[in-house]
Amino acid sequence: MIKIAPSILSADFANLERDIRRVAAADYLHVDVMDGSFVPNITIGIPVVAAIRKVTELPLDVHLMIDRPVRYVEQFCQAGADIVTVHVEADTQENTRRALALIRGQGKRAGVVLKPGTPAEAALPFLDSCGIILVMTVEPGFGGQKFMADMMPKLERLRGWIDERNPGCELEVDGGMDPVTCKTVIASGANVLVAGSAVYGAEDIPGRIRELRG
Ligand code: DX5
Ligand code: ZN
């Protein structure tokens, strides 16, 4: 089953509760946390995750685009995140391993994220400790960017390793999803699709969520 994770980065932050209710037909709610250092943009943090937790039953998929996320992962879990993903580029291998262990220690699903320039192999040391792997199909930092189709070989290699070594692990993609590109990533092995502008820019949001399932 293909899961859709609308990104609230494309929601109206002044009407966040309304816009979260509009995507109730989805599977996860994707929350983009940016620190102005790991990426050139600043979004939201722990108090907003805690506030969102109160207004939705959807699992919260928190994508940390922050330096040295090991410092904050437990707080995001305690604020109500169900899935927490950290970038492999954001710290040393040892600290990334620690971050994943802390997330799992909170009873949550842990995962690593790869930027477009990061090879598939960078996920290998963490494959056994991940419940999800996220492949960026745009440079992290902003919604509404163009899909990078050249990430498909990376996705296919990760799908192969996941099926062999950790079949329960989910494979997520983030960036540039629309009713056409969703078919490309599904064919390459993704099973969780993040979509911001494609969902929130649609006239019929539940219809668009259905369409993105491929
Ligand atoms: C980008 C974020 C994405 C973003 C996707 O750094 O990680 O989650 O919201 O937006 P769209 O779907 O518009 O490309
Ligand atoms: Zn994201």
Side-chain angles (χ1 to χ4, degrees):
M1 208 259 296
I2 301 301
K3 297 179 181 172
I4 305 300
S7 166
I8 56 165
L9 192 57
S10 295
D12 175 358
F13 281 173
N15 290 285
L16 198 48
E17 180 174 1
R18 180 201 68 191
D19 278 5
I20 288 170
R21 295 196 191 286
R22 281 182 173 159
V23 299
D27 302 280
Y28 298 152
L29 190 71
H30 187 79
V31 182
D32 288 305
V33 176
M34 306 187 190
D35 67 352
S37 175
F38 182 73
V39 288
N41 195 7
I42 300 178
T43 55
I44 59 175
I46 295 152
V48 178
V49 172
I52 291 170
R53 177 70 292 163
K54 298 193 185 117
V55 300
T56 184
E57 306 268 282
L58 286 176
L60 300 183
D61 170 28
V62 176
H63 174 193
L64 296 181
M65 285 162 275
I66 65 175
D67 282 324
R68 294 185 290 131
V70 67
R71 297 173 294 160
Y72 292 108
V73 288
E74 286 183 299
Q75 288 182 62
F76 277 102
C77 291
Q78 286 154 11
D82 298 283
I83 301 166
V84 179
T85 57
V86 299
H87 273 266
V88 296
E89 308 87 359
D91 208 335
T92 61
Q93 207 181 101
E94 190 191 337
N95 280 343
T96 300
R97 227 180 261 293
R98 253 188 73 221
L100 297 172
L102 290 172
I103 298 163
R104 284 199 318 273
Q106 294 284 318
K108 311 297 177 140
R109 184 175 283 245
V112 291
V113 194
L114 307 182
K115 284 169 56 164
T118 304
E121 286 78 6
L124 275 178
F126 311 108
L127 188 55
D128 300 328
S129 24
C130 280
I132 190 163
I133 292 177
L134 171 53
V135 173
M136 294 305 299
T137 41
V138 298
E139 282 301 336
F142 302 92
Q145 302 182 77
K146 193 176 172 294
F147 174 71
M148 298 167 78
D150 52 340
M151 293 298 114
M152 294 311 99
K154 189 200 282 192
L155 207 55
E156 284 155 20
R157 298 187 70 199
L158 286 163
R159 170 47 68 196
W161 292 331
I162 286 172
D163 286 350
E164 249 171 58
R165 289 174 42 180
N166 186 4
C169 181
E170 300 200 287
L171 185 55
E172 183 176 36
V173 287
D174 186 2
M177 279 309 114
D178 65 30
V180 175
T181 57
C182 69
K183 296 192 196 309
T184 308
V185 297
I186 293 167
S188 294
N191 79 297
V192 182
L193 280 51
V194 176
S197 41
V199 167
Y200 281 106
E203 280 290 310
D204 169 12
I205 289 181
R208 176 55 55 83
I209 290 171
R210 256 194 319 277
E211 210 179 348
L212 289 170
R213 294 188 197 278

